[in-house]
Structures are given as structure tokens and as C-alpha cells.
Amino acid sequence: MMNLFAVLTNTGFHLAGWRHPSAWTDTMMNLEQYIEFAQKAEAAKLDAVFLADGNGVRDLDQPEIYKALRVDGRPSVFEPLTLFSALSQHTSRIGFVATAVTSFDQPYFVARRFASLDHLTGGRAGWNIVTGSYEDDALNFNRDAHEEKELRYERAHEFVDVCVGLWSGWKENAFPEDKATGVYADPEKVSSLNHKGRFYQVRGPLNIMTPPQGRPLLVHAGQSEGGRDLAARYADAIFAAVRTKAASKELRADILERARRFGRDPKEIKFLPGMTPYHGSSKKNAEARIAGLSELIPPAVGIQHLVHSVKHPFTVEDLDKPMPLLEADVIGAGSPRKLVNEYVRADAVTVRQAYQRLIPGLGLPIFAGTATDIADEMEDWYRDGACDGFMVGLPVVPIDLDSFTQEVVPELQRRGLFRREYSDGTLRDVMGYPKAS
């Protein structure tokens, strides 16, 4: 069976999705909309909802793009674990995958927060492990600049090791609560971590018992060398921004081979490339939807989105010039640069065409057409070994949330590709994993 995660957003995954006449309004800090999104995703039996996060307000130095609400600009957003704690009280089965940044946080805090969420949700928590990709975010954490990529990933490996160690510090039945003997907690069933590494010293134990899943689901989306190794070593699920099925197969094979070298069984890893579905009464109608949304993006906003995505100083004067190849890797732009370079090599696009292709899917492949057309593409990727499922970015909310959950998912179910009911247990059980030890 496929695994399906949905990007949780009430403003839509498309850059101009919030401007669509059918989009939700009054979206700022609107808890009820997030509840509705999670409940609809749960009704469709999706594995989880996923919430990206950052550590700063972005684009204030670019008024044109800031006022247009770039999807990841995050001028005012809920802290993910706080939001998921609230959503958990309005759902019962869907998983919650939240972002926490290893570069700016502490392992003890992260381990404690995710263990708490796992207990509050009955075993539905997942951690999206990121090292941080926006240089200016570092300015909010007593730093003048972000760490170099290699150092960030070295730190991340140790960070995750510490968290995993903290989560396993308590044995079962560590709290007998025996009223007759007066023994509430058994000290022989807890152990200190006593970690001393390059970046962290953590004695432990964690002051919260082992999570229901053993440890929360671990997720990573890195595609650089360091990101691939981090995913291969730790991740239960891997997100990826790949434009083609061939690229997805290549990346999946590479990460699974790395996992073998780390002594892991590749069956322990689910590979979930991102995908953006544009539903319509026909392919022509769906393509018209994409074109209509593109018309809602002012050129100044489109060019600035490209600048922020690939970290190259384009201006509106460059709009109709050939898009150059961007060979050098920079912090936060590795994957977008690779995707844009694919456009250039395939079609020799202009700068304008580059952002027009990047924005509708935010660098992800677009599956457009009827529910049958979209399911056909998903089935083709899945059966051809390009993925184990998808991370779904819904362009306009709630209409694309409704069409995907009420039309595409039932078509996948009809084909025997997706569950009709949740299995019993935790998020790890739903995804086909044993309890983590």
C-alpha cells in the first residue's frame, strides 16, 4: 500500500493559492481551519499531515514578495508541536510530523517535546529532522551566520543519536504505582545516557517515559551528500523534491544503498517524493487552472521567489533572458538549483519560464487532470519502484484538499493501492513498521 502525507497549510501550497476565489479567508492563526484540514485528511485515511517550520520572519527586506505571502515566508505561524497537541484532541488516528531544527535547538528539549507529543497522541508523532537552510534564521540565536553545511550535518548526526538514546532510557513497567508496597517508580528500570560528544554533553535520563512508538517516526528531506547520509542512517521516511520519475528512482536507490552500508534493512525506509495534484474535469481544465493561478503572481514576486529559491541575484530586467546553469551549491539552495538546472538542460528556458515552472509545484512534479489521470501517474511511479508513496502539496485549500481526499484517494482505494481503514496501533504500525527499540 502507498503511504500518503499531506502538507498542512491553510493558505495553499501554490504561491498564489490564497488568492483563489475558493480559497479559505481569514487564515492567519486560524485553528479551526487546521482542525478541518486534519479531520479531512484523517477521514481519507492518510498516514500523516506534515508541517514545515522555520525560525524567523522572512522577506522583510523584499516588500513585494513579503506582502504576497511566499509560502515559506512564515510571517505568523503556530509552533508545530503546540499546534499538533491541539489537533490531536480533534483526531484519533492521523499522524503528525513536525519540524525541529538541530542547528538551533538542544537534543534534550527536542526529545522531551516529541516524547510528550507521542504520548498525547497515543503514538502519532513524527520528527522532521532539519539542519536549517535559511542563513538569516541564525541571527535569532546569538549567531552572526549559519554554520557551514558539513558542520551542520556533523552536529545533526550527534543530535539525533542523543535523542534516540534519551527515548530508550526507560524500560517497560518503570512506573508500577503499587499502592500496597508504596513503590511508584522502579529505579532499576531507568538508565542515564551519560553522553559526551563533540557538540553535546547530556547526562539524562529524559524526564518522560519512553514514547508509545519507542521513538517518534523520524523523517528527513535532505538531498545533499550530508542529507542523504543523515536520511540513510536514521530516517523512517524520506521526503524528496525530484522532478521526474527517473530522478526519484535514482535518488531512492542511492539512499537505500547508503542505508545498507549503515547496517539498516532498506525495507525500514519509506521514500516519499513530493507531488502537487491539480485536479480538473479534464487535463485541459487542470492545465487552465495552473495557468490561472500563474496569472495571480506578479512578475516581481515570481522573480523574487526564484531569487530566494536558488540564491542568485536575478532582477525583473532578466525576465526574458536565458536562464543560466547554476553550478555552485549554496546554503539552502541545493535542491532548487538542481531542479532549475534540469529545466535549463531540457528546454533552454528563460528566467521567466524558470519561475513559472518552479512555482506551480514549488519544484515538485505536477500531476494534472481528472482523478483518474492523477491516480494513473501516482500508480505508475509507485509500481515502477520510484517511491513508496507521496508527500502531497495541495495548491488551493480547501478545494484541492477536498478533491484529493474525496476523488483521488477513492480511486487509489478502488485500485487496491491505498488503505480503506487504518490498522490498529501507532503511526509506525499504520506505516508498517514495528515498535522502535
Side-chain angles (χ1 to χ4, degrees), residues 65-111:
I65 193 170
Y66 175 80
K67 70 183 183 182
L69 184 63
R70 190 164 65 97
V71 171
D72 57 356
R74 304 185 183 99
S76 180
V77 292
F78 289 108
E79 189 281 318
L81 279 84
T82 305
L83 175 62
F84 284 157
S85 295
L87 299 188
S88 72
Q89 306 308 298
H90 298 271
T91 58
S92 61
R93 297 310 316 277
I94 195 159
F96 297 110
V97 179
T99 299
V101 183
T102 57
S103 298
F104 308 131
D105 217 321
Q106 288 292 320
Y108 194 94
F109 289 152
V110 167

Side-chain angles (χ1 to χ4, degrees), residues 81-263:
L81 279 84
T82 305
L83 175 62
F84 284 157
S85 295
L87 299 188
S88 72
Q89 306 308 298
H90 298 271
T91 58
S92 61
R93 297 310 316 277
I94 195 159
F96 297 110
V97 179
T99 299
V101 183
T102 57
S103 298
F104 308 131
D105 217 321
Q106 288 292 320
Y108 194 94
F109 289 152
V110 167
R112 188 183 185 199
R113 291 199 297 267
F114 278 95
S116 294
L117 182 63
D118 209 47
H119 281 288
L120 287 171
T121 60
R124 295 186 280 149
W127 173 21
N128 176 41
I129 305 163
V130 301
T131 64
S133 59
Y134 286 87
E135 295 182 69
D136 286 353
D137 286 4
L139 304 180
N140 292 325
F141 296 91
N142 200 34
R143 301 184 187 186
D144 294 324
H146 209 342
E147 293 175 333
E148 294 298 322
K149 180 179 287 188
E150 183 176 344
L151 185 61
R152 285 187 287 126
Y153 278 109
E154 288 180 19
R155 179 187 296 276
H157 279 265
E158 185 178 342
F159 194 113
V160 179
D161 274 339
V162 173
C163 288
V164 171
L166 288 170
W167 286 322
S168 61
W170 296 87
K171 297 179 181 179
E172 291 188 13
N173 303 316
F175 297 93
E177 297 187 43
D178 191 324
K179 294 184 178 181
T181 63
V183 177
Y184 187 91
D186 186 345
E188 294 184 0
K189 293 186 177 180
V190 60
S191 58
S192 296
L193 183 63
N194 294 317
H195 173 88
K196 292 184 179 181
R198 178 182 177 186
F199 301 100
Y200 304 104
Q201 294 188 35
V202 183
R203 186 188 67 178
L206 192 67
N207 60 342
I208 182 169
M209 64 188 295
T210 298
Q213 296 184 91
R215 59 169 168 76
L217 193 80
L218 298 182
V219 178
H220 187 57
Q223 291 176 232
S224 65
E225 282 297 305
R228 293 184 187 203
D229 277 345
L230 187 66
R233 185 176 178 188
Y234 299 106
D236 302 303
I238 297 169
F239 302 154
V242 285
R243 192 169 67 95
T244 66
K245 183 175 70 171
S248 186
K249 293 175 72 173
E250 181 180 355
L251 179 59
R252 180 173 185 256
D254 178 70
I255 292 179
L256 295 186
E257 178 56 34
R258 291 173 191 240
R260 291 187 185 94
R261 295 201 294 267
F262 281 116

Side-chain angles (χ1 to χ4, degrees), residues 4 116 152 204 344 409:
L4 295 176
S116 294
R152 285 187 287 126
V344 175
V409 169

Side-chain angles (χ1 to χ4, degrees), residues 9-14 16-25 27 33 36-37 40 277-281 285-286 288-290 292-293 296 369 371 374 392-409:
T9 171
N10 62 340
T11 57
F13 195 69
H14 190 283
W18 67 275
R19 296 187 65 189
H20 191 279
S22 298
W24 273 331
T25 58
T27 57
Q33 291 173 356
E36 182 177 339
F37 190 115
K40 287 181 175 181
Y278 282 86
H279 182 264
S281 57
N285 175 264
R289 286 194 62 213
I290 297 172
L293 284 169
L296 298 176
I374 294 169
V392 183
L394 300 158
V396 180
V397 178
I399 60 171
D400 286 310
L401 172 63
D402 291 338
S403 64
F404 186 79
T405 57
Q406 297 174 18
E407 298 189 49
V408 177
V409 169

